[in-house]
């Protein structure tokens, strides 16, 4: 059986494109519908209940477009909303935290695993719970890095300011003897070279979002809902609640698509202050 419907991806902003990038690479026949809630980011400092509410608005938008699977391409939203979305939607819902945790346990040799993420994700303990449930002997070193998301969203992730902020934010992590570091925010992979430079070549970086596409691929096969036809029936669609031009600038650079196009939409009434 072939299912040509799109896979939905959602994030607070451009971070979700790090997950989409892997999907385009590993699953080029699948149609991508993406929404980023840039008008209301960052999600990291917001209460979990509010992130859950916003996540539902994005999910409802994508469900109206008849997606066959939903990927929560945001760690903060996965921590806040995955159980609820999974319980109440009649399609598979995949989050980014468990795939990242599994990959970290596989990669680590000394069982000391760092996790960098938003305040909301760190507060939820979702990574510690996911890792320690599998291996109670592991040590998890969590660190909130609230300055990373604004750097990426303002398209400054190649800048010297970014280099300095990353170095300052991660300096305490260097004393923790971790050999594996989970990029527990989907915005982090855009800062990957800077992060690797600070933690050193002996620390393995785990891109949770990219790992998630392995799960997406497995579920497509398990449920027999992959698109097996040679062409995409539906073209990819990208939406943002923020300024389309700003989203496009980052997407063109990150995805390497000079013709990239995004559409502005409104979701809820509340916007950023
Ligand atoms: N990209 C999101 C994540 O993975 C969160 C960014 C935000 O704080 O809005 O957690």
């Amino acid at each position: 059986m072939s299912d040509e419907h799109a896979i939905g991806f959602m994030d607070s902003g451009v971070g979700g494109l790090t997950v989409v990038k892997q999907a385009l690479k590993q699953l080029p026949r699948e149609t991508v519908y993406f929404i980023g809630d840039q008008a209301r980011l960052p999600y990291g400092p917001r209460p979990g209940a509010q992130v859950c509410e916003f996540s539902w608005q994005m999910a409802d938008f994508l469900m109206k477009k008849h997606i066959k699977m939903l990927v929560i391409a945001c760690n903060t939203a996965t921590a806040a909303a995955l159980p609820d979305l999974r319980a109440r939607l009649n399609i598979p819902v995949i989050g980014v935290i468990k795939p990242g945790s599994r990959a970290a346990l596989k990669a680590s040799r000394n069982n000391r695993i760092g996790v960098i993420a938003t305040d909301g994700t760190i507060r939820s303990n979702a990574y510690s719970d996911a890792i320690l449930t599998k291996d109670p002997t592991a040590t998890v070193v969590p660190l909130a890095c609230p300055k990373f998301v604004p750097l990426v969203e303002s398209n400054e992730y190649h800048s010297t300011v970014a280099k300095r902020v990353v170095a300052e934010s991660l300096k305490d992590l260097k004393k923790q003897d971790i050999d594996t570091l989970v990029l527990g925010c989907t915005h982090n992979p855009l800062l990957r070279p800077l992060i690797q430079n600070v933690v050193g070549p002996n620390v393995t970086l785990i891109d949770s979002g990219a790992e998630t596409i392995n799960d997406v691929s497995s579920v497509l096969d398990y449920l027999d809902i992959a698109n097996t036809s040679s062409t995409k029936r539906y073209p990819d669609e990208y939406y943002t609640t923020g300024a389309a031009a700003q989203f496009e600038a980052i997407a063109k650079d990150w995805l390497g698509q000079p013709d990239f196009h995004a559409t502005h939409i409104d979701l809820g009434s509340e916007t950023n202050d």
Side-chain angles (χ1 to χ4, degrees):
M1 209 184 80
S2 176
D3 188 336
E4 297 178 310
H5 288 99
I7 302 174
F9 292 82
M10 60 191 218
D11 181 35
S12 60
V14 294
L17 294 177
T18 64
V19 190
V20 168
K21 188 171 180 169
Q22 269 305 309
L24 297 174
K25 179 171 182 287
Q26 289 189 43
L27 301 167
R29 289 186 172 185
E30 299 298 334
T31 295
V32 168
Y33 289 169
F34 176 91
I35 177 164
D37 192 9
Q38 287 182 298
R40 300 186 293 194
L41 71 74
Y43 277 11
R46 294 184 181 274
Q50 191 179 44
V51 173
C52 191
E53 183 194 332
F54 293 174
S55 300
W56 268 106
Q57 290 171 356
M58 290 193 285
D60 286 341
F61 172 80
L62 292 168
M63 289 300 286
K64 287 196 189 111
K65 300 177 73 60
H66 308 294
I67 54 170
K68 63 181 173 185
M69 184 189 288
L70 176 64
V71 179
I72 311 176
C74 173
N75 292 266
T76 315
T78 297
L82 174 65
D84 198 34
L85 288 163
R86 198 171 262 172
R88 289 163 55 197
L89 292 177
N90 60 0
I91 57 168
V93 182
I94 314 260
V96 284
I97 291 178
K98 285 198 175 159
S101 303
R102 278 199 301 270
L105 282 166
K106 188 174 168 193
S108 180
R109 298 163 306 275
N110 72 359
N111 246 6
R112 293 185 62 81
I113 299 168
V115 178
I116 52 172
T118 66
D119 278 321
T121 302
I122 297 298
R123 246 186 293 123
S124 75
N125 287 323
Y127 269 102
S128 302
D129 291 348
I131 292 169
L132 297 175
T133 300
K134 295 250 190 249
D135 182 356
T137 69
T139 300
V140 180
V141 181
L143 179 69
C145 294
K147 293 184 179 161
F148 288 6
V149 172
L151 273 179
V152 171
E153 288 287 339
S154 59
N155 205 351
E156 285 178 284
Y157 51 98
H158 298 302
S159 70
T160 48
V161 177
K163 197 172 170 188
R164 199 187 64 234
V165 169
V166 169
E168 275 167 14
S169 302
L170 302 184
K171 66 176 188 300
D172 289 342
L173 212 53
K174 292 193 340 191
K175 304 171 196 144
Q176 298 284 348
D177 191 30
I178 56 164
D179 73 354
T180 304
L181 177 63
V182 179
L183 306 181
C185 170
T186 55
H187 284 72
N188 290 347
L190 288 103
L191 297 164
R192 185 179 185 127
L194 304 182
I195 294 169
Q196 188 80 68
N197 192 39
V198 174
V199 296
N202 296 330
V203 175
T204 306
L205 300 187
I206 302 293
D207 181 337
S208 284
E211 295 294 336
T212 299
I213 298 304
N214 300 333
D215 279 30
V216 171
S217 190
S218 298
V219 173
L220 288 173
D221 291 344
Y222 184 75
L223 297 176
D224 200 13
I225 55 170
N227 179 26
T228 54
S229 58
S230 54
T231 51
K232 282 190 191 189
R233 176 155 164 206
Y234 305 107
D236 297 343
E237 295 177 13
Y238 294 87
Y239 298 91
T240 174
T241 59
Q246 195 185 334
F247 184 88
E248 284 171 356
I250 297 173
K252 280 179 188 170
D253 174 48
W254 180 249
L255 298 180
Q257 292 184 16
D259 299 330
F260 184 92
H261 173 71
T263 305
H264 168 86
I265 53 143
D266 288 316
L267 271 186
S269 50
E270 197 204 324
T271 54
N272 226 346
D273 299 331

